[in-house]
Amino acid sequence: VSVYENLHNGDGISKKMARYFFIVAGITFVYEWLPQYMAPSLIGISIICLATQHLKSDVVAKIFGGASANEGLGMFSICLDWNNLTGYTPMLLPWSTILNMALGVLVCCIFQPYLWYSNTWNAQDYPWMAQGIYSPGGAPYNQTAVLDSNYNVNLTAVEELGLPGLAASYVLFLMGANMGLTAGLVHIVLYHREALMNGLRSTFSKKGESLNQDPYYLVVQKYPEAPLWWYIVLLAVTFILGLVVTQVTNSGLEWYMFIVALIFALILTLVAGFIGATTGWSLSNGVSNLIQMLGGFIKPGNPVANMYFTLFGANASSQATSMLADLKMGFYMKIPPRATFFAQIYGSFVGAIFSYFITISIITNNRDVLVTVQGNTQWNGAYAQSYNGNAITWGGFAKQMYGPGGPYDWVLYSFILGFFLPLPAYFAHKLFPKVGFNLLNFAVLPWFFGCLCTGINSSIFGTLVIGCFTQFYLRKYKPAFFNKYQYITSAALDAGNQWCALIVTLIVGGAITSPIPFPYWLMNPDITDGIWYWDGCYNYLNDAASNFTLGAGF
């Protein structure tokens, strides 16, 4: 909204701000070819790793490395790639969210190495960082061997292979995400119950009787609202389509389970939407974990059915929250609600078609990369591996793995812990209201307890620095500059980066054709076979002289 307002001056386009936007976007587009394709070492530069290369230390790599997917925590790494820096949107999140992010990252940097080196959950039998599932010996788990033709779990085969295992870093992530969801519920009740109730009363009030006195709300009242029956028709059509898909395919999901998933989606949309509106943070991971857990206990023994249950329970909630964000932007831009409604429908329809065919092309051309732990600069299969792994463990072995007495029962208990997590800070705030305990947002903070379990982490400290500088220093001490340039700069950087990512992905990254790798050189070392990562950290997995082997500390 701020970007649109800065780009317009009165009734026309502000030439000065438009020129600034396109200059920043153009420079970003040209520059991003370096980290995204020609010089991936710019993704992360670890001074500590470079200074200690002679030691060939895997400990240094695990703590300070992070330029490659699932490499390390990325502590104090210097990231010069906006494509990764913008992952947590540091220039958009409010200062309180950045503060909670920093505290959560600190906890993660303490506990993730502790779990590994203490061999908690047999951590050293599995990868240091990974999202897949593994056999007790450390090799990838043969999930097809434990499923029959209808995707039900074959208990006899499970007795022979054993239960799958998870990387300790991923277990920590699951615990944090689960705590964040229930802690977020309690946080809303403790701090925002009055605003929530007023919002609900305004939602169901008649036009002209609303308690909402927001000036934007009063302005858009002159436009005809998108009637409720439009949404009801849309729900009916999509409900029928979803029901048909689940029943005519071999989904394993009964019709009543489909309805239960949608009911969960409705409830969680209210929670996730409120938290997103007040913090700028998405609870999508916590919602997904909760839905998969509920699906696993309600319908155990069928991972594919769990995938469908999660699709309609968690993804529907995520899509609904995104739709609410679009409606809110249209609200603040004074766009007629009916125009916003049709724009969303059109965009969703076209986007679904393009996304489907592009996804098929990406999987076809890059399958070998997507199934690896680390991936490459353009692709990694972390999300797909996580989705699959959760479906197998929650859908197939929920009680055995996460139930009381199971190897990962603390993942389940973390939901309960989340209910109590905000209470000490809340009562401390009541006793000492000027200290700032109310800045601790437990819908955000716990999620970062395990946030460095995956992906490229060299950007996390740069993200925190940018967020602190812009959202604290500039907002507080340079408010005029902040209001004029903060969000338009962020948007311009994102626009240039996204255009570059699109072109790189389509032309040389393998989205529609076979990938065209850039020649190896100093800033693009071979991390597939070489012993150094892009950031100069020791790649002990590729060193023949290393004592590490698969299943024994890899």
Side-chain angles (χ1 to χ4, degrees):
V1 172
S2 178
V3 170
Y4 291 143
E5 289 180 346
N6 278 317
L7 283 176
H8 290 78
N9 183 15
D11 295 328
I13 298 293
S14 171
K15 293 183 179 180
K16 177 182 177 182
M17 299 308 293
R19 182 167 59 250
Y20 173 80
F21 177 88
F22 285 112
I23 288 174
V24 174
I27 293 173
T28 305
F29 172 81
V30 174
Y31 170 78
E32 277 295 319
W33 278 85
L34 293 174
Q36 292 192 34
Y37 184 55
M38 294 182 286
S41 288
L42 295 174
I43 293 173
I45 300 173
S46 176
I47 303 299
I48 296 176
C49 279
L50 291 171
T52 59
Q53 280 190 341
H54 62 285
L55 299 177
K56 289 188 175 181
S57 171
D58 68 285
V59 177
V60 174
K62 287 184 172 72
I63 304 301
F64 300 103
S68 300
N70 294 331
E71 177 188 345
L73 300 176
M75 289 183 65
F76 310 119
S77 288
I78 301 172
C79 180
L80 301 176
D81 174 25
W82 186 253
N83 189 48
N84 283 287
L85 285 170
T86 194
Y88 288 116
T89 59
M91 297 179 71
L92 303 182
L93 296 177
W95 159 243
S96 59
T97 302
I98 296 292
L99 174 64
N100 284 275
M101 182 190 301
L103 294 175
V105 168
L106 177 62
V107 172
C108 184
C109 289
I110 294 172
F111 277 92
Q112 188 164 315
Y114 170 78
L115 293 174
W116 171 265
Y117 289 106
S118 64
N119 202 29
T120 305
W121 299 307
N122 297 316
Q124 295 183 17
D125 286 344
Y126 309 118
W128 154 245
M129 295 166 61
Q131 298 72 50
I133 53 178
Y134 299 88
S135 64
Y141 194 75
N142 186 5
Q143 62 190 51
T144 57
V146 298
L147 301 178
D148 62 22
S149 58
N150 293 318
Y151 306 113
N152 292 307
V153 172
N154 184 337
L155 296 178
T156 302
V158 174
E159 291 179 0
E160 297 177 359
L161 290 176
L163 290 172
L166 303 172
S169 57
Y170 188 60
V171 177
L172 180 63
F173 164 76
L174 292 175
M175 291 178 62
N178 294 349
M179 280 189 285
L181 183 63
T182 49
L185 289 170
V186 176
H187 185 88
I188 290 175
V189 173
L190 293 176
Y191 291 97
H192 304 289
R193 55 186 178 275
E194 185 176 345
L196 180 61
M197 294 307 298
N198 287 338
L200 290 173
R201 282 194 291 266
S202 295
T203 299
F204 295 103
S205 63
K206 296 180 180 180
K207 189 170 183 178
E209 298 178 359
S210 174
L211 299 175
N212 191 347
Q213 296 302 309
D214 188 301
Y216 289 95
Y217 175 79
L218 298 177
V219 169
V220 298
Q221 290 303 291
K222 66 182 181 181
Y223 299 119
E225 182 62 75
L228 182 61
W229 69 266
W230 287 10
Y231 290 94
I232 295 176
V233 170
L234 180 63
L235 174 62
V237 171
T238 53
F239 175 85
I240 293 172
L241 289 174
L243 191 61
V244 170
V245 167
T246 57
Q247 300 309 302
V248 303
T249 61
N250 192 18
S251 70
L253 193 70
E254 293 84 355
W255 64 269
Y256 55 87
M257 288 292 292
F258 170 71
I259 296 176
V260 170
L262 294 182
I263 293 173
F264 284 143
L266 172 62
I267 297 171
L268 292 172
T269 297
L270 296 175
V271 178
F274 192 89
I275 291 175
T278 55
T279 67
W281 188 249
S282 170
L283 286 182
S284 57
N285 286 296
V287 169
S288 179
N289 292 340
L290 177 62
I291 293 296
Q292 287 190 303
M293 180 200 72
L294 293 173
F297 283 107
I298 295 174
K299 183 177 176 57
N302 192 312
V304 174
N306 188 270
M307 283 186 173
Y308 277 90
F309 189 82
T310 305
L311 170 67
F312 290 106
N315 289 30
S317 175
S318 176
Q319 294 291 336
T321 305
S322 297
M323 187 173 187
L324 289 172
D326 290 343
L327 289 171
K328 185 177 181 180
M329 185 182 72
F331 170 82
Y332 281 115
M333 293 305 300
K334 309 177 191 68
I335 299 173
R338 296 186 177 188
T340 305
F341 177 87
F342 284 112
Q344 290 175 311
I345 300 303
Y346 177 79
S348 298
F349 180 76
V350 175
I353 296 174
F354 275 91
S355 295
Y356 175 78
F357 288 106
I358 291 296
T359 300
I360 295 299
S361 178
I362 291 172
I363 294 174
T364 301
N365 293 316
N366 300 277
R367 185 186 183 281
D368 292 342
V369 175
L370 296 174
V371 298
T372 62
V373 172
Q374 292 188 320
N376 59 26
T377 51
Q378 272 80 42
W379 311 107
N380 71 74
Y383 180 80
Q385 293 175 27
S386 172
Y387 192 69
N388 173 77
N390 285 340
I392 295 293
T393 56
W394 282 114
F397 312 107
K399 183 178 180 180
Q400 296 92 325
M401 292 184 64
Y402 301 113
Y408 304 110
D409 51 2
W410 277 102
V411 174
L412 180 62
Y413 296 151
S414 60
F415 282 110
I416 301 174
L417 289 176
F419 285 111
F420 300 96
L421 201 59
L423 297 180
Y426 176 75
F427 291 120
H429 173 64
K430 290 297 182 181
L431 294 173
F432 310 102
K434 296 183 179 181
V435 174
F437 288 107
N438 59 318
L439 293 176
L440 296 176
N441 191 317
F442 289 91
V444 178
L445 177 59
W447 190 90
F448 285 93
F449 289 171
C451 67
L452 302 180
C453 75
T454 181
I456 293 173
N457 294 324
S458 59
S459 61
I460 188 64
F461 283 88
T463 294
L464 296 175
V465 170
I466 293 172
C468 291
F469 176 75
T470 59
Q471 293 290 343
F472 179 75
Y473 174 77
L474 289 183
R475 181 187 283 271
K476 184 174 182 179
Y477 297 104
K478 305 289 182 181
F481 181 89
F482 178 91
N483 291 332
K484 186 173 183 179
Y485 288 104
Q486 170 80 353
Y487 297 114
I488 195 171
T489 301
S490 178
L493 291 169
D494 287 345
N497 168 66
Q498 289 170 9
W499 275 107
C500 180
L502 176 65
I503 301 302
V504 169
T505 299
L506 293 178
I507 296 179
V508 298
I512 57 177
T513 61
S514 297
I516 306 173
F518 195 79
Y520 295 123
W521 66 295
L522 178 64
M523 300 296 287
N524 182 33
D526 180 10
I527 68 168
T528 304
D529 298 315
I531 65 169
W532 304 108
Y533 288 113
W534 287 316
D535 52 6
C537 293
Y538 175 50
N539 188 346
Y540 53 92
L541 298 178
N542 290 345
D543 191 352
S546 171
N547 293 324
F548 288 86
T549 57
L550 293 180
F554 71 116

